[in-house]
Amino acid sequence: MSEIFNLGDIPDLSDILGDTDGPAPFEDGWYKGTILAERSFTDQNGNDRVFASSDSVSAKGDSRNVRLQVEIKRTDGRTLNVSTLVNYNPDDLTQATIQAVAKRREEAKENNGQMGDLFRPFMTIKRLGTLQKIGGVRQLQRNGDGGLDLTPLYNKVAYFKLQPDSRNPQYKEVGDFRFDAPKRGKVL
C-alpha cells in the first residue's frame, strides 16, 4: 500500500469517553502564584524537561529577557505552570531615561496619560519596579552575566493575570502581574 492516508480536521474527542467531570479549566482572571527558580517534569515521551527562570540576551541581541517560571494556584488547589517574559533594553535603566520617564509621567497627568515615545521605557520601569516589590528588595542587582539577579524573586508569592495566549488561544499566558491582590476583580 503506497497511498498516503490523510486525516483532515480532527474533531474534539474529549466528550466521547464521558470524562466531563474533570476539573474546570482556568478562566481568564487574577490568580495567586509563586515564582520558581526552575520547574521540572517528565514529558509524555519520558524525557526530563527543565525550565529555569533567567535573564538572558534576546534573540535579536539588542535587549534582554527576564523569563520567570510561575506556579499558579487556584483557590480549589489546582495548579498551572506558566512562564512569563519581561523584555527590557538596558538603555531604559539609565538615570537619564528614568528621569525623563518621571518627568513625562507628571506631564501625562495633564495630557490624558500619554507617554508617547517613552511608553516602552515606562512599561519596562513599571514591570521591573513591580518585580523589585515582589522580591522585597529596593533594587535588583546585576548577576555578573550582564543581566539581573533574580534570586530575590524565587519562592515569592504574587498575583498573576491569566489571559488567552496570543499565539494559541487554547492556552493561557500571563498578561500582567502585581505584588498585591488586585482591587478590581476577585482572585480565582
Side-chain angles (χ1 to χ4, degrees), residues 156-173:
K156 298 293 179 151
V157 174
Y159 295 87
F160 299 87
K161 185 177 185 181
L162 291 184
Q163 64 188 28
D165 189 305
S166 56
R167 293 168 301 209
N168 186 345
Q170 293 179 327
Y171 297 101
K172 297 290 183 190
E173 71 181 4

Side-chain angles (χ1 to χ4, degrees), residues 1 6 34 87 136 162 173:
M1 224 178 172
N6 188 356
T34 304
N87 176 269
L162 291 184
E173 71 181 4

Side-chain angles (χ1 to χ4, degrees), residues 69-100:
Q69 302 303 320
V70 179
E71 182 181 67
I72 302 290
K73 192 166 191 174
R74 221 163 48 180
T75 54
D76 66 2
R78 185 166 173 228
T79 60
L80 173 70
N81 291 316
V82 295
S83 63
T84 187
L85 182 91
V86 176
N87 176 269
Y88 69 96
N89 185 325
D91 291 340
D92 296 340
L93 305 178
T94 65
Q95 283 300 319
T97 302
I98 292 170
Q99 290 172 357

Side-chain angles (χ1 to χ4, degrees), residues 15-176:
D15 289 340
I16 291 176
L17 300 176
D19 191 23
T20 58
D21 294 336
F26 278 76
E27 299 175 30
D28 295 350
W30 288 97
Y31 294 87
K32 192 181 266 191
T34 304
I35 298 172
L36 307 172
E38 69 178 30
R39 58 186 174 90
S40 60
F41 63 95
T42 303
D43 67 17
Q44 56 189 340
N45 296 324
N47 300 317
D48 290 333
R49 306 285 308 246
V50 177
F51 295 96
S53 291
S54 63
D55 181 342
S56 58
V57 177
S58 69
K60 285 185 178 178
D62 62 348
S63 61
R64 296 192 66 89
N65 291 325
V66 171
R67 183 170 304 278
L68 298 174
Q69 302 303 320
V70 179
E71 182 181 67
I72 302 290
K73 192 166 191 174
R74 221 163 48 180
T75 54
D76 66 2
R78 185 166 173 228
T79 60
L80 173 70
N81 291 316
V82 295
S83 63
T84 187
L85 182 91
V86 176
N87 176 269
Y88 69 96
N89 185 325
D91 291 340
D92 296 340
L93 305 178
T94 65
Q95 283 300 319
T97 302
I98 292 170
Q99 290 172 357
V101 166
K103 181 179 177 187
R104 178 76 57 87
R105 189 166 183 225
E106 286 300 315
E107 293 169 355
K109 290 178 183 177
E110 299 168 7
N111 301 333
N112 299 326
Q114 300 296 316
M115 292 299 292
D117 59 341
L118 291 174
F119 179 75
R120 185 188 193 297
F122 167 72
M123 290 305 297
T124 296
I125 292 167
K126 180 180 176 210
R127 289 178 181 138
L128 293 177
T130 301
L131 290 180
Q132 285 179 179
K133 287 182 179 181
I134 292 169
V137 295
R138 185 170 179 268
Q139 181 177 355
L140 291 170
Q141 301 297 314
R142 294 285 178 187
N143 65 6
D145 191 24
L148 299 172
D149 177 14
L150 304 177
T151 307
L153 298 171
Y154 301 155
N155 300 314
K156 298 293 179 151
V157 174
Y159 295 87
F160 299 87
K161 185 177 185 181
L162 291 184
Q163 64 188 28
D165 189 305
S166 56
R167 293 168 301 209
N168 186 345
Q170 293 179 327
Y171 297 101
K172 297 290 183 190
E173 71 181 4
V174 174
D176 198 4

